[in-house]
Amino acid sequence: MQLVEHNNAAQFTRSSEKMEMMSPRALEIWQFINIILLSLVTAVFWGTWLGLSRSMASLSAETFLEVGHAMIANLGTIMAILMPAALLSTLPVLYLQYRGGSKTFYPTLAGFIFFVVALLITLRVEVPLDYQFAQWTGTTLPGNWTELRDRWEWFHALRSWVAVAGLALTLAGALFWRDGARELRVEPNSRYKIKDGKILWQK
């Protein structure tokens, strides 16, 4: 009986050791995926604001409609997939950081909140306006079309900067406290120890 209990305890210990050693690597993988996706979202927002939407007021109605229809067609479906995927990829990062007691959890959480704000701006303001723009033609432009255009551009600028701030916080969590991200809770009498961000098994 004691031999069986000893073997069970040994198997449990090895399983726990393997799980704990995998956690830092899993965190790094998820952070890589998360940062790539968030960077793509931010690039779309920032790039279209910096290179085009700041000049929307100088475009004629015909040019505005042509550009607007092209942007909606090119980005609508892609961003509907990319943005939720980027936000969802943050959740495993937050889980692993929180479980490990890492101080990187807080800047990552703050970055996640910024991107949630960007998503809310998109869903509550930008998408409804995009839907209206998609229906317009040169002969059906409403009398207040310039006001609606300017409203879209203002909120687009806002969400672009919000996304930049969110990405900066996410990167800060991944880079500035990198060693802290590898710290895991270890009991004082445990046979584990942490050295140079790695979990070692003490004999």
Side-chain angles (χ1 to χ4, degrees):
M1 180 66 69
Q2 291 181 348
L3 179 60
V4 173
E5 292 179 352
H6 176 75
N7 290 336
N8 290 338
Q11 291 177 1
F12 176 78
T13 300
R14 285 194 296 269
S15 298
S16 299
E17 177 186 4
K18 183 177 180 181
M19 181 186 67
E20 295 294 347
M21 292 184 69
M22 289 176 60
S23 295
R25 179 59 62 187
L27 177 58
E28 290 178 347
I29 293 172
W30 276 111
Q31 281 182 316
F32 175 79
I33 296 171
N34 181 232
I35 289 172
I36 288 292
L37 294 177
L38 292 179
S39 296
L40 290 174
V41 170
T42 304
V44 171
F45 290 159
W46 176 261
T48 54
W49 173 76
L50 186 65
L52 179 61
S53 68
R54 292 189 304 158
S55 302
M56 283 292 190
S58 65
L59 303 179
S60 65
E62 291 76 13
T63 303
F64 167 74
L65 286 177
E66 184 177 358
V67 171
H69 290 171
M71 290 179 63
I72 292 169
N74 290 335
L75 296 175
T77 302
I78 292 175
M79 291 303 289
I81 298 172
L82 180 60
M83 199 166 185
L87 285 170
L88 289 174
S89 70
T90 312
L91 299 181
V93 176
L94 289 170
Y95 169 74
L96 290 170
Q97 289 174 335
Y98 180 79
R99 191 186 71 173
S102 171
K103 57 187 176 183
T104 63
F105 172 81
Y106 298 102
T108 304
L109 178 61
F112 176 72
I113 291 172
F114 270 84
F115 275 100
V116 169
V117 171
L119 177 63
L120 291 176
I121 293 173
T122 300
L123 296 178
R124 298 294 299 274
V125 180
E126 303 292 80
V127 169
L129 288 174
D130 283 340
Y131 180 78
Q132 293 185 54
F133 297 162
Q135 312 305 312
W136 292 351
T137 66
T139 58
T140 61
L141 278 174
N144 65 337
W145 76 270
T146 56
E147 178 183 340
L148 296 176
R149 175 204 63 196
D150 293 344
R151 175 178 171 82
W152 184 94
E153 199 286 324
W154 191 90
F155 277 99
H156 180 53
L158 176 61
R159 71 173 172 177
S160 297
W161 284 102
V162 167
V164 169
L167 180 61
L169 286 164
T170 303
L171 286 170
L175 299 176
F176 294 162
W177 296 283
R178 189 170 181 82
D179 289 338
R182 288 175 168 270
E183 294 175 2
L184 297 172
R185 293 190 181 95
V186 179
E187 296 297 329
N189 297 325
S190 173
R191 296 179 65 186
Y192 297 107
K193 69 176 181 178
I194 298 177
K195 182 178 180 181
D196 297 328
K198 297 181 179 179
I199 300 175
L200 302 179
W201 177 253
Q202 302 182 93
K203 297 181 179 179

